[in-house]
Amino acid sequence: MNIDQRELRHVAEAAAPRVDLYAGIHKALRALMADSLLAVGRMDSDDALELAQVTQRVLELLDFCRSHLQHENDFIHPAMEARAPGASGQIAHEHEEHLQAIVALAAQTTALLQCEPAFRAARALALYRALSLFVAHNFEHMHVEETAHNAVLWARYTDAELIAIHDALVASIPPEEMMFVLRWMVPFMNPAERAAMLGDMRAHAPAPAFAAALDLVRPHLGEREWAKLGVALGLGQG
């Protein structure tokens, strides 16, 4: 993708003080994609249980990617088009391509799970390579959204308006999906992002939901990470 490096530096410098609709969820996606790809690469395709577990993880990744595309199509792209007609066109086209790739990868994953043992190793390698390309393209895709799309949004929306878009998007996500998002988002944020997100959740979500979120992410944080979060949120010892 041809992107002016000077423009990227300008956007990066401006990113800190502005509301970023992409930052958190894209960290979750990158982490989940990398984890799934590594799992396929190290999988023992001759172990039926491991094969079933890893292919299920790939299918979960693909379902999450499909849902994420829909959220962006429903909330972020309309906001861009409302004030900058045509600004989301390139990425919207790529979303269509990604949906096609998701269908193909899901079929390839299911075929691997169901194929005869003699063909598993070759099909596992083919899935690994196909998933690698999917991940690579998504990483480039997310970079464009975080730079070019944010530049459009920041030039045309106030932070209060961006927060309203974010809140409407989050409110549309079913609880089960939100817990999946938290599992992959919170552990891979930096300490300040992690504390800010969970602090906001504590302020606005029911207490049981906040407690469930802490229980969900704690096993995926190191001792120092958990201690820093505890200090930031005033959780005390435990």
Side-chain angles (χ1 to χ4, degrees):
M1 297 181 181
N2 296 320
I3 305 175
D4 188 325
Q5 294 301 312
R6 291 172 300 178
E7 181 181 7
L8 295 187
R9 287 195 296 271
H10 177 72
V11 172
E13 291 169 359
R18 296 303 310 273
V19 170
D20 190 335
L21 298 179
Y22 293 106
I25 190 62
H26 280 186
K27 284 195 173 185
L29 279 165
R30 288 185 176 104
L32 179 56
M33 287 177 177
D35 184 80
S36 302
L37 179 61
L38 293 175
V40 174
R42 70 189 298 182
M43 176 180 63
D44 180 359
S45 58
D46 292 325
D47 183 325
L49 176 60
E50 186 173 344
L51 178 67
Q53 291 173 334
V54 173
T55 51
Q56 180 60 33
R57 287 168 66 179
V58 174
L59 292 174
E60 287 178 348
L61 164 66
L62 297 175
D63 283 343
F64 185 49
C65 288
R66 185 183 294 108
S67 180
H68 172 69
L69 292 176
Q70 192 62 51
H71 294 323
E72 290 189 343
N73 289 345
D74 289 346
F75 291 92
I76 299 181
H77 290 188
M80 294 176 66
E81 292 299 317
R83 299 187 184 179
S88 68
Q90 175 190 341
I91 292 299
H93 176 68
E94 290 185 9
H95 279 190
E96 295 175 0
E97 294 178 339
H98 287 177
L99 287 173
Q100 295 172 4
I102 287 168
V103 171
L105 281 168
Q108 190 173 357
T109 302
T110 301
L112 167 61
L113 179 62
Q114 298 175 345
C115 77
E116 295 295 324
F119 301 108
R120 286 177 184 168
R123 293 195 177 184
L125 179 58
L127 176 62
Y128 176 72
R129 289 172 173 165
L131 186 59
S132 295
L133 293 176
F134 178 74
V135 170
H137 190 234
N138 271 272
F139 275 27
E140 289 189 332
H141 175 92
M142 287 187 282
H143 181 73
V144 173
E145 291 177 327
E146 291 167 357
T147 54
H149 277 206
N150 267 336
V152 171
L153 291 166
W154 292 339
R156 293 162 178 83
Y157 284 88
T158 65
D159 281 349
E161 290 174 318
L162 293 175
I163 289 172
I165 294 169
H166 170 268
D167 290 349
L169 190 161
V170 169
S172 75
I173 300 176
E176 182 178 351
E177 181 182 344
M178 180 54 66
M179 294 302 284
F180 189 81
V181 170
L182 291 174
R183 183 265 176 267
W184 286 103
M185 182 186 294
V186 175
F188 299 102
M189 289 176 151
N190 64 44
E193 293 169 336
R194 191 179 297 131
M197 179 177 182
L198 289 174
D200 182 73
M201 183 178 183
R202 179 170 60 181
H204 297 97
F210 175 68
L214 289 180
D215 290 342
L216 178 68
V217 303
R218 182 168 187 175
H220 305 288
L221 297 176
E223 288 301 318
R224 285 176 60 81
E225 291 173 322
W226 178 255
K228 290 175 183 178
L229 181 63
V231 170
L233 297 179
L235 298 177
Q237 300 299 316

